[in-house]
Amino acid sequence: MATVTQVRDVRRWSMLGLGVFAQASSAVFVHGVPFLLPALTDRGMSLPTAGVLVAMPTVGLVCTLIAWGYVVDRIGEHKVLVGGPLVMLAAGCAAAATTNDIALGALLFFGGVGAASTNGASGRVIVGWFPPRRRGLAMGIRQTAQPLGVGIAALAIPAVAAAHGISAAVLVPALMAGFAAVGCYFGIIDPPRPDAKSVDRVNPYRGDSTLWRIHAVSVLLCVPQGVVWTFALLWLHRDIGWSLPAAGALVTVTQLLGAGGRIGAGAWSDHVGSRLGPLRTVAVAAVICMAALGLAAWSSWWWAAIPLLIAASVISVSDNGLAFTAVAEIAGPYWSGRGLGVQNTGQNLAMAAIPPAFGALITVGGFPAAYLAAAALATVAIPLVPSDRTKTPRE
């Protein structure tokens, strides 16, 4: 088996690219299916029923993230990055062929099951093949897969559904997953792991709260991110009076800037040799920015609120790669798959709870109350960030 030093930079970065593509295909499947809502309701399906249907990929993903992490720990990254996308391909093709809504929902669920495979496996490839001094940057690049996937889905799925029907639109993420499976089959190599006899394989969660604290921090910091992602468009349109196209354009720009923020945070963590120090700083910045946004929105200071919204959109997503990398490094090569599964499960459950919970809060207290509540919850995360036990190695 090749070692980290024997793998050339070109191969290392090509594996990162394949991991990003595989993760983006999962994002298209999970986050792109909701873009079918107009087509589903236009053909006579009620909105509640259509809402349940398009939520099935997310349900499948959340139910199996930890299980996929266990599989990665047992059989390695290569097989999972091939097998999971193949599940998406098969489920998507079968969903495109069915005319039964119950069967469609079940197949979308299984597509979400396949999509869950790439979360931990693509992260493990990066941690395994990139040296610590480049790992934060690489993981930051990997974390851009979600906004890229959402962008691809927003452009492709509604247009294909309008021109060629729902079945053709479902094939978009399915075929993308098929290409990802082929690319990963030929391009991904399982990173080396220490000899099982010479490494401590004891459960890293037992007797140590570090990983649990990182998981809790990530869940709390999901709140500002989820509130901004979910309600920014509506706030710009309803309270400030922007047109929907103008508001949508600003939200798209913030997504692109947020992707850059993830890369920048990762590079910063490499430079300072720490994941948790920058994570604490990002948490503080998120609190300050969301609180300022809430006050600006309450005071109708739109000249300040718009720049603060952009800043919040970037800062609130910058913690993702830092926490993800820290979990993988602390959990170690025989537990990081499960650790990353727990990490993603908590974040996805939090994101699922934000629309109904904060939607009710906005109904009662308006958008400023939602922004201030998000800042308050993020404040709880600051003291929970663990201290660095050791600095991240520079070599």
Side-chain angles (χ1 to χ4, degrees):
M1 177 181 290
T3 65
V4 174
T5 56
Q6 290 172 335
V7 172
R8 294 182 177 182
D9 273 351
V10 172
R11 186 62 184 272
R12 188 178 286 118
W13 288 100
S14 71
M15 285 192 282
L16 170 59
L18 288 169
V20 169
F21 186 76
Q23 183 64 29
S25 71
S26 295
V28 174
F29 205 113
V30 173
H31 302 293
V33 169
F35 290 116
L36 291 174
L37 277 174
L40 290 169
T41 53
D42 285 348
R43 77 177 193 184
M45 184 178 291
S46 69
L47 183 58
T49 301
V52 171
L53 197 65
V54 301
M56 295 312 293
T58 302
V59 175
L61 178 136
V62 171
C63 287
T64 55
L65 280 167
I66 297 175
W68 274 113
Y70 178 81
V71 173
V72 172
D73 288 334
R74 297 290 294 180
I75 68 173
E77 297 80 357
H78 178 265
K79 293 178 181 177
V80 170
L81 283 173
V82 174
L86 285 177
V87 172
M88 282 192 282
L89 173 63
C93 290
T98 188
T99 57
N100 183 279
D101 290 338
I102 295 176
L104 177 60
L107 290 165
L108 291 176
F109 172 88
F110 283 111
V113 170
S117 66
T118 63
N119 283 269
S122 62
R124 279 271 299 260
V125 167
I126 292 168
V127 172
W129 281 123
F130 280 83
R133 59 188 173 84
R134 294 184 180 178
R135 195 175 290 157
L137 172 62
M139 191 68 81
I141 294 172
R142 181 263 184 200
Q143 293 296 100
T144 65
Q146 184 182 44
L148 288 174
V150 173
I152 293 170
L155 290 173
I157 288 182
V160 174
H164 305 288
I166 293 172
S167 295
V170 173
L171 287 175
V172 171
L175 294 176
M176 188 173 174
F179 285 118
V182 173
C184 290
Y185 178 81
F186 290 105
I188 295 292
I189 305 173
D190 283 337
R193 291 198 283 179
D195 186 353
K197 296 180 181 179
S198 65
V199 70
D200 185 3
R201 297 182 66 171
V202 175
N203 185 342
Y205 290 93
R206 188 174 299 158
D208 190 340
S209 64
T210 300
L211 288 173
W212 288 119
R213 289 174 65 178
I214 295 173
H215 296 326
V217 167
S218 295
V219 168
L220 290 166
L221 293 182
C222 264
V223 178
Q225 174 185 334
V227 169
V228 170
W229 277 16
T230 304
F231 298 109
L233 182 73
L234 186 62
W235 174 63
L236 290 167
H237 178 62
R238 180 185 294 178
D239 278 22
I240 302 183
W242 285 24
S243 68
L244 284 175
L250 180 61
V251 171
T252 301
V253 170
T254 62
Q255 288 281 320
L256 296 175
L257 292 174
R262 297 181 187 208
I263 296 173
W268 173 30
S269 75
D270 287 339
H271 178 72
V272 300
S274 169
R275 316 297 177 204
L276 299 179
L279 179 61
R280 183 180 292 105
T281 302
V282 168
V284 172
V287 170
I288 294 172
C289 198
M290 290 301 296
L293 176 60
L295 291 174
W298 177 70
S299 303
S300 298
W301 294 340
W302 308 134
W303 57 269
I306 301 303
L308 285 168
L309 174 66
I310 296 171
S313 300
V314 176
I315 293 169
S316 65
V317 300
S318 298
D319 65 285
N320 291 348
L322 298 172
F324 207 74
T325 309
V327 168
E329 291 177 333
I330 294 169
Y334 292 97
W335 272 87
S336 56
R338 279 162 281 187
L340 295 175
V342 174
Q343 174 80 1
N344 279 310
T345 299
Q347 289 180 305
N348 277 281
L349 289 174
M351 293 294 281
I354 286 169
F358 279 82
L361 178 59
I362 290 169
T363 300
V364 175
F367 291 98
Y371 298 146
L372 292 172
L377 287 171
T379 302
V380 181
I382 297 173
L384 289 177
V385 178
S387 299
D388 274 317
R389 293 176 293 186
T390 57
K391 287 289 187 180
T392 302
R394 296 300 301 274
E395 300 296 335

